[in-house]
Amino acid sequence: MIIKPVNCLQDNYAYLIFCEKTKQAAAVDPVEPANVLKIMDSYPDYKLSMILTTHHHWDHAGGNPEMMEKFHNKLICYGGSSQVESVTHLLKGGEIIKLGDLSIQTLSTTGHTMDHISYYIDNEDDRAVFTGDCLFSSGCGRFFEGTPENMWAAFSKLLQLPEDTKVYFGHEYTLANLRFAQSIEPNNKEIEAKLQWAKSSEYTTPSTIENEKLTNPFLRVNLPEVARLIDSNPNSSVTDVLGKLRKMKDLF
């Protein structure tokens, strides 16, 4: 398996996934088709066969019509609702998509939108998850359509993935996320180390589930020592704390 990030718009990431055994390829959120196809040109032996859309927002799904047109509507376009432009196959989560020899597991990760899908691949100990605007590096997406309960349910699925799973996220927000994370946990050495690394890194994708457990405050709200830094009420639930943390980030 080969995964190539593709820079799009101001701070978006699209991705290309290549199955080395069968020379099949998939595009994740190809919002700027020209950028995606330029990378595809570097792999002339591979055939693009599908689009994996994480959610319906234009900066993720907006390139789908042009991609379909360029491939004469022969691509399969996956998405979580009919709001996803050019979708041909609707997903609910729990499906298995075959890309050559690769098995891609779909995860319903609602909260940012209610049609948000993440895509998980476990290929011979090489693991990857594409999280769109659900989970960022040391941060998460806004709760535009869902609730803290929806988002914690989504995070709980991601937290169950093996720790060495690489996390390919939808936006390069890492520096800003780490500055916020450090404001919550100023004594967290893992956050400080990652912040220094990110300052000298133009691109920070991918992260890992292991690193997110250490540096992402939104995944750490279930830890009492972190929760009390956010909400002084000992009776607050995990989702109460998560909702408060998201509001703090919105105003940061």
Side-chain angles (χ1 to χ4, degrees), residues 207-218:
S207 182
T208 64
I209 292 295
E210 179 182 28
N211 183 266
E212 292 309 302
K213 288 180 177 180
L214 296 171
T215 68
N216 194 325
F218 294 95

Side-chain angles (χ1 to χ4, degrees), residues 54 116 118-119 129-136 158 167-170:
T54 60
H116 200 291
S118 296
Y119 299 91
V129 64
F130 299 85
T131 57
D133 284 4
C134 174
L135 186 70
F136 298 135
L158 298 174
V167 178
Y168 292 91
F169 43 88

Side-chain angles (χ1 to χ4, degrees), residues 32-52:
E32 283 197 289
N35 296 13
V36 174
L37 296 177
K38 184 177 180 180
I39 302 296
M40 274 299 305
D41 288 343
S42 302
Y43 293 84
D45 296 337
Y46 286 79
K47 177 184 178 182
L48 187 69
S49 59
M50 66 181 68
I51 297 169
L52 305 175

Side-chain angles (χ1 to χ4, degrees), residues 174-204:
T174 306
L175 262 179
N177 288 341
L178 285 164
R179 290 185 177 119
F180 174 71
Q182 192 169 57
S183 77
I184 300 298
E185 292 189 77
N187 298 319
N188 185 319
K189 294 181 180 179
E190 297 290 342
I191 290 174
E192 172 61 25
K194 187 175 181 180
L195 179 59
Q196 295 308 315
W197 168 78
K199 285 179 178 178
S200 60
S201 303
E202 188 174 2
Y203 307 114
T204 62

Side-chain angles (χ1 to χ4, degrees), residues 127-180:
R127 303 176 181 91
V129 64
F130 299 85
T131 57
D133 284 4
C134 174
L135 186 70
F136 298 135
S137 180
S138 300
C140 74
R142 292 175 183 260
F143 305 173
F144 282 127
E145 297 180 8
T147 64
E149 288 76 16
N150 294 137
M151 208 66 156
W152 185 248
F155 293 161
S156 296
K157 294 174 186 177
L158 298 174
L159 284 166
Q160 292 174 18
L161 299 178
E163 290 198 338
D164 63 355
T165 302
K166 297 180 181 71
V167 178
Y168 292 91
F169 43 88
H171 288 271
E172 183 55 61
Y173 293 159
T174 306
L175 262 179
N177 288 341
L178 285 164
R179 290 185 177 119
F180 174 71

